Amino acid sequence: MGLIGAQPDVYWQQQTGRTLDEAGEWVPEYAPPMQVKGSLQPLSAARYQQLGLDLARRYFSFFTSASIQGVGRDSSGDLLDIAARRYQAESLVDGDWSDVDGWREVIVVDIGPTP
């Protein structure tokens, strides 16, 4: 994080599973928040296009060494709270460098203010 710099006070909530609510809807469950280090960087318009992202939503790259997981089968993705905003992890970027230098890039989407 030497060149980019890390955001202070980043809290990660890892999805631990899901349960059915009274209406028969699956509701994700999360572990208690853990503080992690990372850097949140906006995506360029070209990157939006390359990844086929919805231009009406605000996406970012989050660089971290934490094992954050994105949306997958039976999983809604982990949550990050950064500077009074909540972000949902969408996907890991191809070319994950965690095996090489311990860092990975996760695409996250802003889902609103931190509750």
Side-chain angles (χ1 to χ4, degrees), residues 6-103:
Q7 260 70 31
D9 302 323
V10 175
Y11 294 93
W12 167 38
Q13 293 180 57
Q14 185 175 25
Q15 186 181 354
T16 58
R18 59 191 188 137
T19 58
L20 278 174
D21 67 7
E22 295 170 359
E25 303 267 335
W26 288 107
V27 178
E29 296 176 329
Y30 296 93
M34 295 183 345
Q35 193 166 13
V36 295
K37 288 186 179 184
S39 179
L40 188 70
Q41 302 292 318
L43 289 182
S44 67
R47 193 93 186 268
Y48 267 77
Q49 214 172 26
Q50 175 189 20
L51 297 171
L53 301 175
D54 179 358
L55 293 173
R57 300 180 79 190
R58 294 180 49 209
Y59 289 90
F60 299 83
S61 287
F62 184 68
F63 296 91
T64 185
S65 61
S67 59
I68 295 170
Q69 296 299 309
V71 174
R73 185 178 182 102
D74 300 330
S75 172
S76 61
D78 295 345
L79 300 175
L80 293 168
D81 292 336
I82 306 169
R85 300 295 298 176
R86 178 158 283 177
Y87 301 87
Q88 182 175 29
E90 292 283 317
S91 62
L92 295 176
V93 174
D94 291 338
D96 179 6
W97 288 89
S98 59
D99 290 339
V100 176
D101 63 7
W103 296 98

